[in-house]
Amino acid sequence: MQGSLPVLMGRRVLLREPREDDVVPLFEYSSDPDVTRFLAFAPPASPDDTLYFIAKCHEHREQDREYVYVIAGVADDRAMGIIGLRHIDQPMRTAQIGTWLGRAFWSTGANVEAKQLLLDFSFGPLSLHRIEARIAVDNHRSRRAFERIGGRREGLLRESFFKDGVYHDQDLFVVLTHEWRSRRQRELTGRPRQASKDGHR
Ligand SMILES: CC(C)(COP(=O)(O)OP(=O)(O)OC[C@H]1O[C@@H](n2cnc3c(N)ncnc32)[C@H](O)[C@@H]1OP(=O)(O)O)[C@@H](O)C(=O)NCCC(=O)NCCS
């Protein structure tokens, strides 16, 4: 995507492109080993690593490889964490979602709202059909968070995550576009969505 990603505006959080002035908060949050425990990267060694990460986000967006957003507060525009799509495969209409938040923002509702914004964008303007999440089996909080927004477990990816010299199994969670639309419809109206011709709800 050339230019920049559109800003996705929620009630309490918004998603926008990472900027250089996000370095200080993002460096601070990702220096917490509790945050990176189940992530593919180690805590950054210095703020320069975070600056490099931000530069890479822009490069990958231009190449349509990854769309990475900062999760920020609507009230203060201050970064809380990161959410993004990677392994974007437009012919197959699939991508993988990933999220991390500073420890202070866990259990605040920011995660749910950020996922709603990105999934609405993925299944709407991006026309994706299937969003996957790979979650380490011991990452109980993340599993619960993904189930909570309607993700369905499809199976076990054995020894698919290598961290600190150890292989971990991951659960494969998936959200499909028609399942998401039904869920969003129910949330908005409190009523089930009418079944479509092909039987999807
Ligand atoms: C993953 C992450 C973004 C989720 O955000 P969050 O604010 O913690 O998640 P939520 O509050 O939306 O949901 C967490 C759920 O797990 C539950 N939970 C918390 N600790 C739990 C535990 N030890 N075991 C099981 N469930 C747990 C919470 O009660 C909540 O469920 P509920 O909504 O039914 O009450 C955040 O925890 C994070 O940044 N973790 C570190 C990075 C990471 O691991 N990212 C995911 C990589 S796959």
Side-chain angles (χ1 to χ4, degrees):
M1 194 178 292
Q2 293 301 314
S4 53
L5 293 167
V7 174
L8 307 179
M9 187 62 72
R11 277 196 315 124
R12 283 178 299 169
V13 306
L14 59 86
L15 308 187
R16 59 160 172 79
E17 293 245 2
R19 303 187 304 238
E20 283 191 17
D21 62 328
D22 296 319
V23 164
V24 171
L26 292 181
F27 172 71
E28 181 195 321
Y29 308 148
S30 55
S31 296
D32 177 348
D34 279 348
V35 171
T36 56
R37 181 172 167 210
F38 296 110
L39 299 178
F41 61 90
S46 74
D48 280 349
D49 284 357
T50 306
L51 192 59
Y52 179 77
F53 162 75
I54 290 173
K56 281 285 166 195
C57 292
H58 295 295
E59 193 182 310
H60 290 162
R61 186 249 307 142
E62 280 168 18
Q63 298 163 347
D64 290 317
R65 282 173 57 185
E66 296 184 1
Y67 295 154
V68 177
Y69 274 108
V70 156
I71 305 167
V74 167
D76 58 6
D77 199 29
R78 190 173 158 81
M80 300 174 173
I82 291 287
I83 189 163
L85 296 176
R86 59 182 178 175
H87 302 299
I88 300 166
D89 185 336
Q90 272 295 356
M92 289 299 120
R93 300 189 170 189
T94 61
Q96 248 181 47
I97 192 170
T99 318
W100 62 263
L101 286 165
R103 186 71 186 78
F105 304 106
W106 294 8
S107 298
T108 62
N111 167 65
V112 172
E113 198 175 359
K115 282 193 170 70
Q116 284 173 344
L117 290 168
L118 189 59
L119 289 171
D120 283 345
F121 180 57
S122 302
F123 294 132
L126 294 183
S127 299
L128 294 171
H129 181 74
R130 174 184 162 95
I131 304 294
E132 301 180 349
R134 291 171 162 223
I135 303 175
V137 293
D138 291 336
N139 195 352
H140 304 294
R141 172 175 282 274
S142 181
R143 287 171 54 104
R144 184 71 199 105
F146 214 75
E147 283 167 351
R148 184 184 172 185
I149 57 116
R152 282 164 65 160
R153 184 182 174 279
E154 286 194 344
L156 184 72
L157 304 169
R158 294 181 308 143
E159 300 184 8
S160 52
F161 180 63
F162 185 62
K163 179 96 185 190
D164 299 332
V166 180
Y167 291 99
H168 302 264
D169 295 343
Q170 290 175 305
D171 283 313
L172 176 63
F173 278 88
V174 172
V175 185
L176 298 177
T177 183
H178 44 86
E179 293 170 353
W180 181 250
R181 289 215 176 100
S182 299
R183 186 180 178 86
R184 295 295 270 154
Q185 184 88 2
R186 284 197 300 275
E187 283 170 4
L188 288 172
T189 65
R191 284 184 280 115
R193 194 172 179 235
Q194 209 177 2
S196 64
K197 278 186 194 148
D198 62 1
H200 294 319
R201 293 179 64 84

